[in-house]
């Protein structure tokens, strides 16, 4: 289990909005939380907010895709809801040996099941409320609208007023069922996500801007094209589409890019390579998943292109980055130990 500090920031924001003191969270988290730390935090929060049993629902609903950082950008880059759901199931941060998160199909229905990694004292299903509220928010943002003919079944009695569940989730919710399951028509998963247009969530757009800054791009039309590519969903827009977005003809766009010493294809390759590198370094997505996310339907073609861009395979790049990062961690630890030894000698 690996819970990033950004999620705790969302918890603090929602608590403040709902009249609770964010200081109840305790010390500021700057590194990932493990299972024990998350259990301790949830236990303290539930005990301190007994008068607000809907807190978990609102925390989950506030977890817009942009909150998930680079992983959220990966979800927004998926071509269908099925691809996004598959990634979410394999890389759910709440997974441990006990937790179960799976997508199954039965009688024309797609079923998203979830069992929490642990029970929180005072509200055993606190994390289940968070998970499904976050999942519904992600689905709504991915398809660009509220779900249709979708409902949620929960195995427990409602923690808050049942009407609040339906108001927050925008769907029917049934309680004391056999399992925790979000159910909807299977064809919903095959909808092309690009039909929903470019994401408008502020946090997601900030992630695109962060990626743009990391690329150290110059200003001008090259920067504008990169920004459009990074904030596109499902596929990269063509040169004519980008030209229309920038209110110019394709010929004018190509001429202006040429004057800046680049081209549409060179920018697309640069964006693909940068995203592939970021996914390899900062997520545990498979090479095949990364290839698909950056626009390659064939894994062999992705590997070939990546090798052309970086003189090494994606797997070699990931191993090299891990070795460098491990080396930095060891170096930092050694430096800390030396400082502690020096401090002890002086004292």
């Amino acid at each position: 289990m690996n819970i990033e500090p950004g999620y705790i920031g969302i918890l603090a924001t929602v608590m403040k909005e709902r009249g609770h003191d964010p200081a109840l969270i305790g010390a500021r988290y700057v590194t990932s939380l493990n299972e024990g730390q998350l259990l301790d935090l949830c236990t303290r929060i539930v005990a301190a907010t007994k008068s607000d049993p809907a807190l978990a629902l609102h925390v989950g609903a506030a977890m817009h895709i942009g909150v998930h950082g680079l992983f959220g950008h990966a979800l927004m880059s998926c071509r269908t809801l099925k691809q996004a759901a598959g990634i979410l199931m394999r890389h759910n941060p709440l997974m441990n040996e006990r937790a179960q998160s799976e997508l199954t199909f039965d009688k024309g229905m797609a079923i998203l099941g979830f069992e929490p990694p642990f029970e929180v004292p005072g509200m055993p299903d606190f994390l289940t409320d968070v998970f499904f509220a976050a999942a519904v928010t992600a689905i709504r943002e991915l398809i660009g609208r509220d779900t249709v003919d979708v409902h949620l079944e929960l195995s427990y009695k409602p923690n808050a007023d049942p009407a609040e569940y339906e108001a927050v989730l925008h769907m029917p919710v049934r309680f004391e069922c056999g399992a925790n399951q979000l159910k909807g028509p299977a064809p919903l998963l095959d909808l092309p996500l690009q039909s929903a247009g470019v994401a408008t969530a502020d946090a997601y757009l900030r992630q695109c801007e962060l990626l743009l800054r990391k690329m150290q791009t110059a200003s001008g039309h090259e920067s504008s094209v990169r920004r459009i590519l990074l904030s596109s969903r499902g596929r990269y827009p063509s040169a004519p589409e980008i030209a229309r977005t920038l209110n110019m003809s394709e010929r004018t766009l190509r001429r202006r890019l040429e004057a800046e010493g680049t081209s549409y294809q060179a920018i697309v390759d640069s964006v693909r390579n940068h995203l592939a590198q970021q996914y390899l370094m900062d997520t545990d997505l498979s090479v095949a998943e990364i290839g698909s996310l950056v626009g390659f339907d064939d894994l062999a073609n992705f590997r070939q292109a990546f090798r052309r861009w970086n003189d090494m395979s994606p797997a070699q790049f990931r191993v090299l980055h891990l070795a460098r990062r491990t080396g930095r961690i060891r170096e930092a630890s050694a430096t800390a130990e030396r400082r502690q030894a020096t401090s002890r000698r002086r004292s």
Side-chain angles (χ1 to χ4, degrees):
M1 182 176 295
N2 186 33
I3 306 299
E4 295 298 325
Y7 296 117
I8 309 306
I10 294 299
L11 172 61
T13 299
V14 174
M15 287 180 63
K16 184 176 181 180
E17 290 174 349
R18 297 182 66 78
H20 307 294
D21 184 1
L24 293 169
I25 293 175
R28 182 170 177 266
Y29 293 93
V30 295
T31 58
S32 300
L33 281 70
N34 59 32
E35 182 176 339
Q37 291 172 315
L38 181 61
L39 174 57
D40 175 70
L41 175 60
C42 291
T43 300
R44 288 188 287 107
I45 294 303
V46 167
T49 60
K50 290 181 179 179
S51 62
D52 188 7
L55 176 64
L57 278 176
H58 289 275
V59 170
M63 290 185 179
H64 301 285
I65 287 183
V67 172
H68 306 300
L70 192 62
F71 181 67
H73 192 278
L75 291 176
M76 295 296 291
S77 299
C78 290
R79 303 183 187 185
T80 65
L81 194 57
K82 181 181 292 184
Q83 183 185 18
I87 290 177
L88 179 63
M89 293 303 96
R90 289 189 292 276
H91 306 283
N92 180 358
L94 290 176
M95 295 303 292
N96 67 1
E97 293 181 356
R98 174 184 172 182
Q100 295 182 11
S101 179
E102 61 180 353
L103 179 67
T104 58
F105 298 89
D106 182 47
K107 298 178 181 178
M109 298 291 286
I111 305 170
L112 172 61
F114 177 75
E115 289 298 326
F118 51 74
E119 294 185 348
V120 179
M123 190 180 291
D125 297 288
F126 180 86
L127 288 181
T128 304
D129 278 0
V130 171
F131 173 84
F132 280 113
V136 169
T137 295
I139 293 170
R140 185 180 300 118
E141 291 187 342
L142 286 169
I143 65 176
R145 57 178 171 79
D146 283 338
T147 53
V148 178
D149 297 327
V150 176
H151 70 274
L152 177 63
E153 297 179 358
L154 298 174
S155 63
Y156 47 92
K157 295 181 179 180
N159 293 311
D161 187 328
E164 187 150 12
Y165 276 84
E166 298 196 357
V168 172
L169 301 177
H170 303 279
M171 64 178 59
V173 183
R174 304 168 189 169
F175 300 93
E176 298 184 81
C177 300
N180 302 316
Q181 297 178 332
L182 181 65
K183 295 183 176 181
L188 179 68
L189 294 180
D190 294 319
L191 289 177
L193 297 184
Q194 64 264 28
S195 64
V198 177
T200 57
D202 289 342
Y204 175 71
L205 294 179
R206 286 197 298 270
Q207 177 65 22
C208 293
E209 291 299 318
L210 177 61
L211 287 167
L212 190 68
R213 289 196 298 273
K214 283 185 176 182
M215 295 183 74
Q216 298 179 340
T217 182
S219 59
H221 292 88
E222 177 182 359
S223 179
S224 298
V225 173
R226 286 185 177 183
R227 181 176 282 104
I228 293 171
L229 292 171
L230 283 170
S231 60
S232 298
R233 293 177 49 172
R235 65 175 180 85
Y236 295 118
S238 65
E241 290 172 323
I242 289 180
R244 285 195 296 271
T245 300
L246 297 175
N247 296 313
M248 64 180 69
S249 67
E250 179 186 359
R251 183 177 180 181
T252 298
L253 174 63
R254 293 188 183 277
R255 186 173 64 250
R256 291 182 178 179
L257 291 177
E258 183 178 356
E260 294 177 7
T262 187
S263 66
Y264 165 79
Q265 190 57 53
I267 299 173
V268 170
D269 287 345
S270 175
V271 168
R272 281 177 160 178
N273 187 33
H274 180 75
L275 284 176
Q277 289 183 358
Q278 294 297 309
Y279 290 146
L280 287 166
M281 291 189 295
D282 298 333
T283 77
D284 57 357
L285 295 169
S286 70
V287 172
E289 287 172 329
I290 293 171
S292 177
L293 290 173
V294 299
F296 288 88
D297 294 322
D298 184 82
L299 177 57
N301 289 340
F302 170 58
R303 285 175 171 156
Q304 184 180 32
F306 191 90
R307 186 179 292 276
R308 185 175 68 253
W309 297 330
N310 302 284
D311 294 324
M312 67 181 74
S313 70
Q316 290 170 329
F317 181 91
R318 176 171 267 168
V319 169
L320 180 60
H321 170 73
L322 180 60
R324 287 173 175 170
R325 184 174 62 183
T326 302
R328 288 196 297 270
I329 293 173
R330 289 173 179 169
E331 181 180 352
S333 298
T335 300
E337 290 175 1
R338 287 195 298 270
R339 289 176 177 173
Q340 289 176 354
T342 300
S343 177
R344 286 195 295 269
R345 286 197 299 270
R346 289 175 177 174
S347 61

